Amino acid sequence: MHSFHPCWSCCCLLLFSSLGVQGSPKAPSAAPEQVHLSYPVYRCGSTQGWSRRFRFRALKNGPHWSPRLAVFGDLGADNPRALPRLRRDTLQGMYDAVLHVGDFAYNMDEDNARVGDKFMNLIEPVAASLPYMTCPGNHEERYNFSNYKARFSMPGNSEGLWYSWDLGPAHIISFSTEVYFFLHYGRHLVEKQFHWLESDLQKANQNRVARPWIITMGHRPMYCSNADLDDCTWHESKVRKGLLGKFYGLEDLFYKYGVDLQLWAHEHSYERLWPIYNYQVYNGSRETPYTNPRGPVHIITGSAGCEERLTSFTLFPRPWSAVRVKEYGYTRLHILNGTHVHIQQVSDDQDGKIVDDIWVVRPLLGRMMYL
């Protein structure tokens, strides 16, 4: 594992200094300094070796532009089926950022972290060209998520476990579902994250005129209709209802503060839900269910490809399940403006065919709460 990790929005040139102010010798320093960017070509390294050159396109400032994102989770070093197409998409300038919704490499710590090195090299053509935004999944758990924390530098001061950032007309919140499951690392993390989430959601609602969309990303879903025994298959899932079914549950919190779109992974498939709260469908209308929906929209996108293959669904879909796709692929998210978001699912099994396509439409007024 390498110790040099550039900031998510810029890269550092590592310089070594051997002279003091007056020219007297002093111990060599390996600390990055004189950090700067040239547009559009850069490379990282030192006299001991340099990376190849990469290109990047700086993100636009302010809310008045239309970000395009690639969204997926559960991408492994073995069987990374969606990665070649994602590389081509990135090379063609299709995206402004990537949201990787947990589970990397399978697993980054294995073989003395060499699996993590292999994975990071695989995603380098994408991650070196775009902001590669992450959240932790269950496969990052070993050694208190140390590989995840060391390899990804996210905004905020929580080592990438939870943070938020603004992108165009959206406020995006990344958080850890894993604090509910790996309690031996500290039960206090559940409470600490919950209070941070509430505070961040309060601030996001105060700024909703400028950034109307609130989008969350967390690894394990609240709901799913997969044929396994994962948390989302239980009626009172931990993520949805909290510890012991009543402490620090996220569904009520996200509903209270009007989260528009919730992005999940963990299940190795794609599933889109009808707008939902507490197992009740709250479509905008029969004809246009995602126009002014009365509940949040959930997207589960964990089929990018890993050694564990795809996850089967139950024989019959649940009443709240709108679309289910058991194919390798990933999601495209286009935040067009303050009222329209476009969501598409790309099937890698069908050579890039769009197998799901919806618009979520919300008016600018009266969207702070669903109630």
Side-chain angles (χ1 to χ4, degrees), residues 94-217:
M94 291 183 62
Y95 306 120
D96 298 293
V98 170
L99 305 184
H100 189 143
V101 194
D103 279 5
F104 309 79
Y106 289 71
N107 298 314
M108 290 191 290
D109 64 279
E110 290 188 357
D111 191 19
N112 198 27
R114 291 184 180 90
V115 172
D117 291 340
K118 176 184 177 182
F119 175 79
M120 298 303 291
N121 283 322
L122 284 173
I123 66 168
E124 185 181 69
V126 177
S129 304
L130 299 171
Y132 199 92
M133 311 304 289
T134 63
C135 71
N138 56 296
H139 278 271
E140 286 68 73
E141 175 267 337
R142 290 294 297 275
Y143 312 115
N144 196 9
F145 298 86
S146 59
N147 262 263
Y148 171 80
K149 295 173 182 176
R151 293 180 185 273
F152 297 106
S153 297
M154 295 294 113
N157 56 5
S158 66
E159 299 180 290
L161 295 180
W162 56 80
Y163 62 91
S164 65
W165 58 305
D166 294 326
L167 185 68
H171 181 72
I172 302 176
I173 302 171
S174 173
F175 66 96
S176 172
T177 57
E178 304 315 298
V179 297
Y180 291 89
F181 298 91
F182 299 106
L183 297 175
H184 54 285
Y185 292 130
R187 301 176 71 93
H188 69 285
L189 293 175
V190 180
E191 181 180 5
K192 185 176 181 180
Q193 176 179 254
F194 184 89
H195 291 313
W196 177 87
L197 281 168
E198 183 159 36
S199 175
D200 192 77
L201 285 165
Q202 289 172 348
K203 294 174 185 176
N205 271 281
Q206 292 169 4
N207 193 40
R208 209 145 196 179
V209 172
R211 303 188 191 273
W213 296 101
I214 299 179
I215 300 171
T216 62
M217 55 185 279

Side-chain angles (χ1 to χ4, degrees), residues 232-271:
C232 53
T233 65
W234 296 93
H235 192 274
E236 306 297 329
S237 71
K238 288 183 181 179
V239 176
R240 190 175 81 85
K241 296 299 289 183
L243 299 180
L244 302 178
K246 58 182 179 180
F247 297 109
Y248 309 115
L250 295 180
E251 183 174 43
D252 286 346
L253 181 71
F254 289 173
Y255 184 78
K256 176 181 178 180
Y257 290 102
V259 172
D260 299 289
L261 179 62
Q262 300 181 26
L263 303 172
W264 312 95
H266 191 62
E267 304 303 317
H268 301 165
S269 52
Y270 171 84
E271 186 166 17

Side-chain angles (χ1 to χ4, degrees), residues 16-21 23-29 33:
F16 293 87
S17 174
S18 60
L19 294 178
V21 176
S24 58
K26 69 175 183 178
S29 171
E33 62 180 41

